[in-house]
Amino acid sequence: MTVLDILLEQHAIRDDQAEKITRLAVATGLPLIKLILNYGFLTRKDYGIAMEKRGYSMSRIREEPIDKDILRKFNLEFADRHLVLPLRIAGDRILLAMADPTDQESIRYITTLYQKPVEILTANDLDIVWLAHVHLGEKQVKDAVFSLLRKDPEASAIITFTTSQLVIICLLLAILVSGMVLRFRDTAILMNILISTFFLVAIIFKLYLSLKGSQFELHQPVERKEMASLKNDDLPVYTILLPVYKESDLIKKLIWNLQSLDYPMEKLDVKLLIEEDDSMTLQAVQDLDFPAVFEVIIVPYHLPKTKPKACNYGLHFSRGEFLTIYDAEDLPDSDQLKKVVTLFRKLPDKYICVQCALNYFNRGENFLTRMFTLEYSYWFDYMLPGLDTLDIPIPLGGTSNHFRTFNLRELGAWDPFNVTEDADLGLRAYARGFKVTVANSTTYEEANNAFFNWIRQRSRWIKGYMQTYLVHMRHPLKLLRRIGFRGFLGFQFFIGAPSLTFLIYPILLIIFLIYLVFDMQALRSFFPDWVNYLAIGNFIAGNVLMIYVNMLAVFKRRLYDLIIFAVLNPIYWIMHSIAAYKGLWQLVTRPFYWEKTNHGLSKMMNIHSGE
Amino acid sequence: MITKPFTYYPFQVLFFSVYFALIGIFLQHSGYYHPQALFFSEKASLVYGHQGNLLNVLGLTYPAVPFYFTLFFRLFNPLWAPIFGTSLVMGLWIADLLKILFKSGAGKVPLMCCCLLFLLNPGFIYMAVSGSTGAYVLLFFYLMIKHLFLYFRYNTTYYLSMVGIFFVFLVFTNYHYLWFCLFLMPLLLFIALKSLNLKREHTTQQIQLVFNNVSLRRKILRRTYAIFIIIFLLPVTGFLFFLLLNRLHIGQVWFFVQSPYSSYNSGILGGQFFHGGQWMDIFQNGYFIILISMFILSPLFGIVLMQNGGRTNLVLTLFSVMALVEFMAVKYSPISIGFPQYSLIILASLVAWCNIQVSTNQIKKWQILLGCCALFSLITGILYFLNGPLRQEADFTNAFTLAINDKKESDFLQDQNMVNYLRDETAKKDLVLTDDAVSFQIVAMYGQTRKFLLPDESLFGSALENPQSYAKYILISNPNKPGGAYDVVDIRYPWLYANGWNHTEPVYSTANFRLFKLN
């Protein structure tokens, strides 16, 4: 009798569901229990009840003593796939924890492996998964952490500042301080000219890119008719990684969002990556009142505790030809996966990643969410297509970046020591000759709506950009040779410049306000008129143009009510500056520390229409 | 098919630019200078000579765009620089307009007629060879209108933002065009109305529906203000910040238009614009007449308005241009209404023609209309210029006629004599104290600004008190020269001379200027 027969007998599932599960088992080669619990057929609670009614009582195996010598013989992949785990020898038998006590294939395997008969403890699959990953996942988690470091030490952010970088930074600071002490006026003029020129070039470059990006407003990389010709049977297995940490409140929403995806269930390989110490989220999955549509992977404890490490770990178990990452609260366009598959099939093999646009469903909630929406609309709808058009490396967004799994592994996956692993990966891919493009599909996320939460998140992003800049600028000439002049320029402006801009912005703002409100004579003694005029002209033009391109982006999305909020950007940039200084501090003191962003704070759960 | 000629846009630009530049150089050789061109040329020379307050010259010379073009071409030749600038921008828009006319199915003969219009109409030649702002206005206005029509067709933010960006250039070429914001309002409201995709067919029904429904009313207001902001934010804020910089730097908000050191069109010099002439004699009795002038100078305007192919946005665009010109006539008359403004109508009509969707069997009719209208505009343009109301246009016509007849006779030749005297009869190192608010043409024609001691220089104040210690000559304007009242040198020294100041003696005099030697 199989587990399906038991469930049918207990009326836990219907006949049609049983047939579907059998069909899926043949198609995917996955064990029945895996399909039943992870493909939306039955809740864990109902499964437990049905099994107990049939006489299989559920054991609390996490409280059972475990013999590590016994475990050492076993392998994690089998445990994870079949949801079985040998715990210890009890008498002359192997005590075996099984989520499906009727799984004869696993029993035979264990018997052969240990040369002993088994004594079965029926257990909750999540407990088995937890124990298996925690006790057997050491090699995989070490791989997740050190694989890139072993493969390409120069690309790893494990060292924040190299000696030569430290020497250069100290030297520049020394020159600046000496200049300020010895010839303050001349140094101030020189600095002003350098900053003004930098701002001017950066702004013009951004405006140009935005206009370039907006030119392709009507361009659809994938059209509907192309999608219509897709056949489900031809679709590849698609892995979705969902790294979460203490996000128990979002699990239900996550299931709703995943269920809205238009992709055949049997071709999905959804993995919820839960940290070993995150019992809250694990419990939330256990207590779900409706069937889960994902498989749980427990990420064993290992420093640094970062999202890229979790993703690298999840990548080890991924089955998909393509792979993407979503956050727990993400709401992708339902046809996104099909669109990406279509696009990948159209593109040459050198395209490793397709980045989809990100936007926010709770944009109307408060000032922060509105500003976030303005920023993301501009970034994903204008800047990235602009970068794409000009073949400049694209700093990937945190989620909704879809990869060819093989190429991703080949590249060394994400750098676990980098807190903006996405931006780093985009650049690394480009340097290795891979290409990234953007697709006409959007994932709606939850915009951060709380000030301190926002500062935490943004300080991490800015710190990550600084890390990425330092990593890739270890050998500037080598980088220039690898990514070409255009790529190098793009790298300077999109990875290096933002952090510097945010650090400088408040200083310029203060100078401008002094110039505007107080007697400018005081400034004139330090700066000649023409420098002042140029700097302030630049500053004004820069602010206005950046506000304008933000307006364009929300106009394109028909979010007319947000247009006026673009004028509040200077305030938003001051917040960026606060985050930048925090990020800079952390870069020196805690470079790998992952500032956790709390999700699920929004009271709005649906996408609001344009008007 | 005439595909090939339109494949090479740069060559067409080159052709038109060279054609206009050659005419401009020929006319200059015959003694024709546009005073505004000389004004730009003098300012550019000041920059290249590193003389005076460069910040003021670079930041406050207005209109900024023509000045920067002149500044660039000053690299090649000081007096030809403004001509090169206007020839190039005329070439740019004419070639582009011909290209879109061709793409819209204008046909060979009508295209040739349009070419003739641009090549032979004295109005266009005047704008292209004068080195003044007219050509720049046409370029940016054309690009703005073109992108507005592209927005109607494709409905993308890109085209709307391009309208806004070109509007910035237009405003920094002539800030009077900021009024366009006002006249585009109905059009923007209409665009917003259409984007609501209401079921009612008739526009008035749609308006009725929208204004009686709270939700729709909110929507249309949001859309209208959104479009309005995208188009006008940059020009309006750009202009306001420019005013602010004037205020901060000089202490006067309107310094750039009021000071003769910043703008040729400052109020002080404005008196010299009006000339009279038959055209004005016939039509000056009312602003309504300006409206008729538009239809006479551009009959295509009326035709496109009437046969608009059901495109209300096209009609509203044309009406807004017409209203703008009419408004400028009322507000700034007579300074702002000359051929450059009428040519906006011609341009808007041609762009509109390209955007009228006609059925295949009507193409021929439209081609004939285009050709006939182009020829008609050419003839009326010639007639207009023969009897033009504005002094500068009349000057141009005179200069053109005289040049064709190989006669050289103009005010500028008199000025050239003064320049020749300075060049030949004075030592190279001898400085000339003068005020370039009035004598900018002498400075421009001389080319070497170091020869002159000008108000922007730190020594000027001292030189004014004690001229013989700083300069060898004083150049002042004659009392009958327009703008002379502003000339600080002019005001001070004739009085001293008349009252027995024996440190000066007149050495040379022309119709406009007098040169005194300091003992």
Side-chain angles (χ1 to χ4, degrees), chain B residues 302-321:
Chain B
I303 291 167
V304 176
L305 266 182
M306 285 183 288
Q307 302 280 319
N308 56 64
R311 296 195 57 184
T312 316
N313 50 26
L314 185 145
V315 175
L316 284 172
T317 309
L318 292 180
F319 269 128
S320 58
V321 178

Side-chain angles (χ1 to χ4, degrees), chain B residues 44 162 177 270 436 464:
Chain B
M162 292 313 285
Y177 286 91
D436 63 344
L464 212 55

Side-chain angles (χ1 to χ4, degrees), chain A residues 111-164:
Chain A
T111 313
T112 316
L113 183 70
Y114 291 97
Q115 296 295 312
K116 283 185 193 303
V118 296
E119 183 184 332
I120 295 169
L121 285 179
T122 309
N124 184 317
D125 68 314
L126 294 181
D127 288 343
I128 295 172
V129 168
W130 191 89
L131 282 174
H133 283 280
V134 169
H135 292 290
L136 296 172
E138 193 184 343
K139 181 187 169 294
Q140 286 80 355
V141 79
K142 286 215 179 296
D143 270 354
V145 175
F146 299 112
S147 165
L148 180 71
L149 186 68
R150 282 196 292 262
K151 231 180 209 176
D152 187 3
E154 287 291 322
S156 169
I158 192 165
I159 293 169
T160 310
F161 298 95
T162 60
T163 314
S164 54

Side-chain angles (χ1 to χ4, degrees), chain A residues 249-435:
Chain A
D249 296 341
L250 289 171
I251 297 300
K252 283 180 190 168
K253 189 165 177 273
L254 171 72
I255 293 173
W256 281 108
N257 295 347
L258 286 171
Q259 280 178 337
S260 68
L261 281 174
D262 173 21
Y263 206 81
M265 192 200 289
E266 68 275 16
K267 300 283 174 86
L268 280 177
D269 170 34
V270 187
K271 292 190 163 29
L272 188 72
L273 309 174
I274 301 177
E275 293 285 337
E276 178 187 329
D277 60 351
D278 186 8
S279 49
M280 265 163 58
T281 312
L282 195 66
Q283 192 57 47
V285 176
Q286 174 65 41
D287 293 345
L288 275 173
D289 290 329
F290 38 87
V293 286
F294 48 74
E295 179 186 338
V296 171
I297 299 277
I298 303 294
V299 183
Y301 179 80
H302 197 295
L303 286 176
K305 207 156 90 181
T306 57
K307 178 175 153 187
K309 183 202 71 181
C311 291
N312 283 348
Y313 190 78
L315 178 65
H316 183 83
F317 301 94
S318 300
R319 294 183 288 117
E321 181 184 338
F322 299 114
L323 176 147
T324 189
I325 300 173
Y326 290 130
D327 278 344
E329 82 286 6
D330 282 5
L331 185 55
D333 281 348
S334 57
D335 60 354
Q336 190 170 102
L337 301 185
K338 284 188 173 177
K339 213 171 238 181
V340 171
V341 170
T342 314
L343 187 56
F344 264 127
R345 286 181 176 169
K346 279 166 60 174
L347 293 169
D349 287 347
K350 64 180 178 180
Y351 279 84
I352 187 179
C353 178
V354 170
Q355 172 72 57
C356 292
L358 299 177
N359 216 293
Y360 294 113
F361 57 76
N362 62 330
R363 62 178 161 266
E365 203 164 357
N366 61 22
F367 167 76
L368 271 180
T369 61
R370 287 187 176 100
M371 298 315 290
F372 229 144
T373 309
L374 276 159
E375 184 189 5
Y376 261 40
S377 302
Y378 156 67
W379 184 254
F380 285 98
D381 295 350
Y382 276 12
M383 291 303 283
L384 294 196
L387 290 171
D388 188 22
T389 313
L390 294 175
D391 196 18
I392 289 174
I394 293 178
L396 300 175
T399 72
S400 302
N401 28 38
H402 301 254
F403 297 94
R404 289 186 202 272
T405 315
F406 173 77
N407 293 140
L408 181 64
R409 287 191 174 117
E410 191 188 11
L411 198 60
W414 297 273
D415 180 2
F417 295 98
N418 193 315
V419 292
T420 46
E421 74 295 344
D422 31 31
D424 170 70
L425 185 63
L427 196 80
R428 202 148 26 91
Y430 191 87
R432 286 277 298 272
F434 288 113
K435 297 276 176 211

Side-chain angles (χ1 to χ4, degrees), chain A residues 207 210-212 214-215 217-218 382 512 515-516 520 524 529-531 533-534 536-537 540 544-545 547-548 551-553 555-558 560-565 567 610-611, chain B residues 53 55 58-60 151 154-165 195-196 218-220 222-223 225-227 229-231 233-234 237-238 241-242 244-246 248-249:
Chain A
L207 181 69
S210 306
L211 292 176
K212 202 79 195 158
S214 69
Q215 259 183 312
E217 210 170 303
L218 293 180
Y382 276 12
F512 177 63
Y515 179 81
L516 199 67
M520 54 178 278
R524 279 188 176 177
D529 272 357
W530 65 274
V531 178
Y533 201 72
L534 185 76
I536 289 172
I540 293 169
V544 173
L545 285 176
I547 288 170
Y548 187 66
M551 286 179 166
L552 290 183
F555 183 86
K556 182 199 161 191
R557 282 202 171 247
R558 310 285 183 254
Y560 302 124
D561 51 335
L562 290 188
I563 282 184
I564 200 69
F565 284 91
V567 298
E611 290 177 282
Chain B
N53 189 336
L55 188 61
L58 282 169
L60 300 176
Y151 174 69
Y154 299 110
N155 194 23
T156 63
T157 320
Y158 171 72
Y159 292 119
L160 209 55
S161 61
M162 292 313 285
V163 173
I165 287 168
S195 69
L196 290 176
R218 198 178 294 139
K219 273 187 180 179
I220 197 168
R222 275 183 187 166
R223 285 180 190 211
Y225 101 83
I227 299 169
I229 281 180
I230 296 296
I231 295 182
L233 177 90
L234 283 185
T237 49
F241 277 121
F242 189 61
L244 179 70
L245 284 177
N246 271 265
L248 287 172
H249 195 69

